[in-house]
Amino acid sequence: MLLKQSVTSYSEGMIIVNIKQNRLLIFGAGVIGSLYALRFAQSGFDVTLLARGKRLDELKRKGLRYNDNGTIKQLSIKTVEKLVDDDIYDFIFVPVRYDQAESALSAIKNNQSKTIITLTNTIGYNPWLEIVGDRLLPGFPGAGGDIKEDILYAQFGSKTYFGEINGQTTERVKQLALIFETAEMQYEIQKDIQAFHVSHAALAAVNKHFYTSEGMVDIETAISESILSKVATDIKQNLYLVEQAGISVIPTETKSMGELMEEEIISRYRQMLSDEFIIDVKFGNQAVSRKAEIILLDEMFHEKFSI
């Protein structure tokens, strides 16, 4: 892939920054972290991927291996096992599960980097703000997939969302937007990022119905009337609770989901679960490992919003 020419930002006729001089750290080498690292690195950014254990060993020995339309390719990428306090990055991305977020942010706490972007589910930011303060810039990834035999099978299905908690379009938000533009990655600056997160949590929590005590249901069971009727009921109820709390349901696609009849929601899920990539995302190895996240998200959501 050819790297694009450096993009330079101007202010009142003065050059202020060469965007590709930004140092980016991806804290976590799972599916989401690996995909963001891959796309940023392919676009010529200075990217470091923090990984541990077997994943770190594989990245050091074989590079970041990924599936590109059926062809397995490899990209050499800088890796670290630990973030030291004086290793400063312009942006640190934290694409971890909801149940891992506080631990990850605690590991970053003493590092002096000024902007930390969380890319995960949540229903609120207070615990995170207590750890990293106003360095926090909440976001949400528009990607999914799986890692099979250390090969990344992932793609972007939607935009990456991010925004300041107070809704302001700050300089760091503009800078981050320019990074995404340079990498030709779709993004949206959310003026009410908390409403977005709560709305998404209302939908994500219903995935609890796909888990069993041993793991996950098979796809045939997942599309059964007994499972999908529970999913549809919970979607409508959860989004109703969000609105009752005085929180806007966003984006419009999420709001419209709550306005459908349950039969229509069931039909949409059956159609969605006929797509092989969606099946991989929702029922693959990474999905199995997300059980603790989904259960915790569901518990926290209903603790906060149940009437």
Side-chain angles (χ1 to χ4, degrees), residues 149-187:
E149 298 180 351
D150 297 306
I151 298 171
L152 177 68
Y153 293 82
Q155 65 187 41
F156 285 92
S158 64
K159 306 170 185 175
T160 299
Y161 296 88
F162 55 86
E164 298 284 5
I165 297 171
N166 61 13
Q168 295 180 4
T169 304
T170 57
E171 285 304 314
R172 67 178 182 174
V173 166
K174 294 177 185 177
Q175 184 84 347
L176 183 58
L178 188 54
I179 288 172
F180 275 86
E181 289 173 13
T182 304
E184 298 183 352
M185 296 163 65
Q186 290 188 330
Y187 71 93

Side-chain angles (χ1 to χ4, degrees), residues 20 30 44 58 101 103 112 117 137 155 158 161 167 177 220 256 265 292:
K20 286 191 178 175
E58 287 290 336
S103 175
Q112 299 303 304
I117 305 150
L137 181 59
Q155 65 187 41
S158 64
Y161 296 88
E220 289 77 15
S256 65
I265 296 175

